[in-house]
Amino acid sequence: MVQVRQPTQEELEKRRIVDVHPEHVSNISSTDFPGHYPGEDHKWDLEKFRKNFRVDFHQNDPCESQFSLVGVDAAIANAFRRITISELPTLAIEEVYILNNTSIIQDEVLAHRLGLIPLKGNREGLRNLKWFRKPIPGDEGSGDTPTDYNTVVLELDVECTWAPNGRELARKGETDPKKLFVNSSVYAHQIKFNPTGNQAQVFAGEGIVQPVHPDILIAKLRPGQAIKLSMHCVKGIGADHAKFSPVATATYRLLPHIAITAPIIGADAHKFARCFPPGVITEEPITAAEAAQEGSGYEGHEGEKKAVVTNPFHDTVTREALRHDEFKDKVKLGRIRDHFIFSIESTGQCDSDELFLQSVKALKTKCQIMKRSMANLMR
């Protein structure tokens, strides 16, 4: 019979570290599951999860947030990341009806550029928009009809002309198109919202549907050239097309772990600090108490500088310290396997922290569907 044992806190902390060596990593796989360690009980416990789980925000701006997700498995963290990128709905330009395009940009290239422009508007109105079901190729009767409940219409009508004194400036040698012409460049802020039906009340004032960044360059024109078109915007997800993804980037990394196992003093401390990004390692004076303590390694070095790990958060785990022989036996590098540092950069339609909460709700919905399906199978 296997003897029941309780692991020490030191053992548990050691198991959390993914070890980083000069040319490889070790202790990669998770081991906190029943049966891996004989005599230890690792069954999932809600109270234990509540005790260990936490979310700490380091930066929380509307378009960019960074936070630590602690106490979850890599599979769960990666599920949040993938859902954020590809399964949260946003509004984007889907159909472009070109009435006139005499610019040098081909119709299909112009339509592609327009589709990638991120849009914003009244968030409650965007959430309440219904999904637009596109018709099946070959079946004209299928699909939905565009209405004010599932489609937002935008328009772009720009023509380039000479400025009032443009011809005179050109004769004097002026070459700046902004001085010579009117509408020499077409920008995103020239896209106009054309509300239909109830949209005039839902998307009103500052909540109208418009590009997130007004200065996105769409095309360049010269006198006699014009662009006139209409755009239909619908809801979609990033799995269908990248233009529907609500984020520019959504990434995570494991928190670095730096353990100094033997004293690093004097010139070595300065050299050791330079092996890491600024602020990760600092040099601090050795106190009298440390110099008087037997076996500390600081005996007789009072007042000298020692290397101290200050902020591993900014470390990139470059392994530079492991390239120097004097540090190989004095430092251990690693990453904490259940401490994920998330970075989410929103395209502007939703706040970055809100996107993470939406991904949590989406994963919860998936779990509920899976639970119901399994229950139906067991009937």
Side-chain angles (χ1 to χ4, degrees):
M1 184 176 179
V2 179
Q3 183 178 1
V4 178
R5 65 181 295 270
Q6 183 66 30
T8 64
Q9 188 62 32
E10 183 179 355
E11 286 180 291
L12 294 175
E13 289 298 324
K14 187 176 180 180
R15 294 172 187 175
R16 293 180 63 206
I17 307 300
V18 177
D19 297 320
V20 177
H21 306 284
E23 297 180 354
H24 71 285
V25 295
S26 61
N27 194 29
I28 302 171
S29 303
S30 298
T31 57
D32 54 346
F33 54 86
H36 185 84
Y37 296 100
E40 296 184 15
D41 181 15
H42 287 282
K43 65 182 179 181
W44 194 83
D45 181 76
L46 179 59
E47 291 303 321
K48 181 181 178 181
F49 174 78
R50 285 176 175 171
K51 180 180 178 181
N52 297 330
F53 176 75
R54 73 176 192 272
V55 179
D56 300 324
F57 270 85
H58 312 295
Q59 177 185 359
N60 191 8
D61 298 325
C63 287
E64 188 172 1
S65 64
Q66 189 176 67
F67 56 91
S68 290
L69 188 66
V70 186
V72 298
D73 189 77
I76 302 300
N78 197 44
F80 291 145
R81 184 189 68 86
R82 292 176 66 91
I83 290 173
T84 302
I85 293 173
S86 61
E87 297 190 34
L88 299 183
T90 62
L91 184 76
I93 297 170
E94 177 68 9
E95 301 286 349
V96 179
Y97 301 94
I98 299 177
L99 305 177
N100 183 25
N101 176 25
T102 54
S103 71
I104 63 171
I105 300 180
Q106 300 94 329
D107 291 354
E108 60 271 21
V109 177
L110 178 60
H112 183 265
R113 290 174 66 88
L114 291 168
L116 294 176
I117 296 176
L119 305 174
K120 65 179 181 179
N122 181 283
R123 294 183 180 177
E124 183 178 355
L126 294 177
R127 281 194 297 267
N128 292 334
L129 274 177
K130 298 183 181 297
W131 293 89
F132 181 81
R133 185 167 52 90
K134 297 180 66 175
I136 301 174
D139 186 0
E140 300 299 332
S142 63
D144 294 330
T145 301
T147 67
D148 55 329
Y149 294 102
N150 59 22
T151 304
V152 173
V153 178
L154 302 176
E155 294 180 347
L156 178 62
D157 187 0
V158 182
E159 182 179 0
C160 180
T161 59
W162 284 93
N165 59 341
R167 297 180 189 274
E168 180 181 350
L169 292 174
R171 285 192 291 268
K172 293 180 180 180
E174 180 62 59
T175 58
D176 186 355
K178 293 183 179 180
K179 297 179 180 179
L180 297 175
F181 316 122
V182 177
N183 293 328
S184 62
S185 296
V186 182
Y187 292 100
H189 65 79
Q190 293 172 284
I191 295 176
K192 304 301 179 184
F193 172 50
N194 183 16
T196 57
N198 192 43
Q199 293 177 356
Q201 288 75 39
V202 176
F203 302 104
E206 295 183 357
I208 65 171
V209 178
Q210 58 186 315
V212 174
H213 306 287
D215 295 330
I216 296 177
L217 180 64
I218 299 174
K220 291 186 176 182
L221 303 178
R222 290 300 178 263
Q225 296 179 345
I227 295 177
K228 184 176 182 180
L229 49 84
S230 177
M231 296 159 279
H232 284 192
C233 311
V234 299
K235 284 176 68 173
I237 59 175
D240 295 333
H241 194 283
K243 67 185 178 184
F244 290 112
S245 181
V247 295
T249 59
T251 62
Y252 65 76
R253 61 186 177 96
L254 295 177
L255 178 69
H257 179 265
I258 306 169
I260 298 177
T261 58
I264 302 176
I265 305 171
D268 284 349
H270 182 69
K271 182 178 180 180
F272 184 74
R274 294 186 62 187
C275 293
F276 298 86
V280 176
I281 304 294
T282 57
E283 301 172 64
E284 298 181 0
I286 299 173
T287 63
E290 291 173 329
Q293 184 179 356
E294 294 185 8
S296 65
Y298 298 120
E299 298 93 333
H301 296 281
E302 181 181 352
E304 294 186 40
K305 295 297 182 76
K306 64 176 181 178
V308 178
V309 180
T310 303
N311 191 358
F313 181 88
H314 297 296
D315 184 34
T316 56
V317 192
T318 60
R319 312 183 193 186
E320 175 67 20
L322 302 180
R323 296 177 60 244
H324 303 280
D325 293 336
E326 60 266 40
F327 302 140
K328 284 185 177 179
D329 299 326
K330 294 183 178 181
V331 61
K332 288 186 177 181
L333 303 181
R335 290 181 180 269
I336 301 178
R337 72 172 67 254
D338 64 346
H339 189 136
F340 301 90
I341 304 172
F342 267 83
S343 295
I344 296 180
E345 184 181 348
S346 171
T347 57
Q349 193 165 126
C350 299
D351 288 345
S352 53
D353 57 345
E354 182 185 348
L355 291 173
F356 176 72
L357 295 178
Q358 290 181 18
S359 69
V360 174
K361 294 178 181 178
L363 182 60
K364 180 180 177 181
T365 302
K366 288 175 178 286
C367 293
Q368 291 172 339
I369 295 173
M370 183 66 180
K371 185 178 179 181
R372 287 198 299 268
S373 300
M374 293 181 66
N376 292 334
L377 288 174
M378 297 300 294
R379 289 180 180 175

